[in-house]
Amino acid sequence: MKRIDFRYALEWPFAFSESFISYVNFSIKGEIVFFEDNGLIIPLILKKKYFFKIGYILHKPFAIDRAISIDEEEGFLYKLLCFCKTDLKLHFSKTILHVCIYHPPRMSKIVLEDIGILRLSFQGKKDIDIFNNFQPQYRNIIRKAEKDNIKIIKGLDQIPIFYGLYEESMENENVVYDSIEAIKLLCNSDYNNIDCLVAYVDGKPDAALLNTIGGGNVYNLFAASKKKPKHKGSLKFLHWVAIQEYLKQNIKSYQLGGIRIGNPTNNSKLQRIADFKLRFGAEVDKGYHFVYVCNSLYYSLYKILINIKHGIEKNI
């Protein structure tokens, strides 16, 4: 396992790109590193927070010239996690982003969480095949939206409009959300791989998407709409317009984010979002996210302090 210099290209998953990693690191403020072993590469952020040493794993190992097997992934992750413990002296390492699933090795002190990635596969399909797999109610709503002449505008100049809708959505859900500065870092790409789409109803923004492209796949990073949309089909129609465009570009799949499986969430917001995406006919790729505990004492203390912090913030 060795540290390497890495230069991104569009053939790589977007989670390897400078713009995306800078966006993730905006809140972490750690050291961005890439490690390689036998042609497989993985991005991490290393962070020393107070007296804790943490490794944030951003994507599963990837090879540019071939697909890798589950056995190869497990073997690589085993080497990486041992390296994090013995050489980097980390207290724990964890996956943090719902952009892919992992197949970690079965090791002691590894904590698994069942995760699924919602994905619309485009390979071998035409737009009518995708559309017919939508829930019937969605198809009717989209047909009505087409007749109602919702206007779609695409371009990075729409970022401020998107952010206004995103901010309104997050405040309506009463959750923590990214600053405009973080979003601008994400969009600061030299590879023309960021799509911002806004749906306008009667000349006013009603819904928006922020997507990114990498490795032949599209990833829906954010979706937002007005608290009380003027047209109930604006966000669904926006996804459909994006899907049609991506089919023309020979994109392999449209990834709609993560979902907890095996242990259903009690969070009505998360379940509502998952149900919304599943009704597009998304498949669920199943795997894991994980925490590898190198030092049980430090990890237990870290969890206690995080719970105290969240409790204080909740009561402010």
Side-chain angles (χ1 to χ4, degrees), residues 152-155 158 162 165 195-200 207-211 238 241-243 245-246 254:
I152 307 298
I153 298 181
K154 174 183 173 182
Q158 295 296 303
F162 153 78
L165 291 168
D195 278 348
C196 182
L197 301 94
V198 179
Y200 287 82
L209 296 176
L210 191 65
N211 297 337
L238 195 53
V241 170
I243 287 168
E245 180 66 26
Y246 297 138
Y254 187 27

Side-chain angles (χ1 to χ4, degrees), residues 40-56:
L40 302 185
I41 298 175
I42 197 167
L44 280 79
I45 296 176
L46 303 179
K47 170 72 173 180
K48 186 174 182 180
K49 187 173 185 179
Y50 307 117
F51 42 83
F52 301 107
K53 296 179 181 178
I54 309 167
Y56 297 98

Side-chain angles (χ1 to χ4, degrees), residues 29-47:
K29 295 179 174 58
E31 180 188 9
I32 301 166
V33 295
F34 291 85
F35 291 108
E36 184 269 339
D37 186 72
N38 290 328
L40 302 185
I41 298 175
I42 197 167
L44 280 79
I45 296 176
L46 303 179
K47 170 72 173 180

Side-chain angles (χ1 to χ4, degrees), residues 237-251:
F237 180 58
L238 195 53
H239 275 292
W240 173 233
V241 170
I243 287 168
Q244 291 176 294
E245 180 66 26
Y246 297 138
L247 282 165
K248 295 175 185 177
Q249 298 175 27
N250 295 317
I251 295 295

